[in-house]
């Protein structure tokens, strides 16, 4: 029954091709990003959860504002 309903819709055959194209381009872009990405940046980002609270780069910079200000709530 579902096949007959889908066959009766005009132009439905293009949607699987479009979805495959989006899928392929996304993973191709992801693959390019992995090979082109800055290794030092990726290494720094991978260590963020393991750093102590005061050891991240944002807290070392005196000009940076905190991400959350409890006085504003």
């Amino acid at each position: 029954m579902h096949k007959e309903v889908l066959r009766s819709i005009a132009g439905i055959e293009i949607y699987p091709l479009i979805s495959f194209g989006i899928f392929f381009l996304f993973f191709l872009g992801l693959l390019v990003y992995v090979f082109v990405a800055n290794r030092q940046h990726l290494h720094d980002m991978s260590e963020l959860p393991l750093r102590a609270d005061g050891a991240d780069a944002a807290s070392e910079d005196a000009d940076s504002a905190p991400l959350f200000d409890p006085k504003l709530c």
Side-chain angles (χ1 to χ4, degrees), residues 15-31:
Y15 289 110
L17 295 174
I18 291 172
S19 63
F20 176 73
I22 292 170
F23 175 81
F24 182 76
L25 290 175
F26 174 78
F27 283 105
L28 184 65
L30 190 63
L31 186 66

Side-chain angles (χ1 to χ4, degrees), residues 4 12 18 21 23-24 26 29 34-36 45 48 63-67:
E4 296 303 320
I12 194 78
I18 291 172
F23 175 81
F24 182 76
F26 174 78
V34 166
F35 284 113
V36 175
M45 293 297 113
L48 276 178
D63 296 332
S64 66
L67 296 176

Side-chain angles (χ1 to χ4, degrees), residues 44-61:
D44 291 343
M45 293 297 113
S46 70
E47 290 183 350
L48 276 178
L50 304 175
R51 290 184 185 171
D53 289 336
D56 60 349
S59 66
E60 293 174 1
D61 188 12

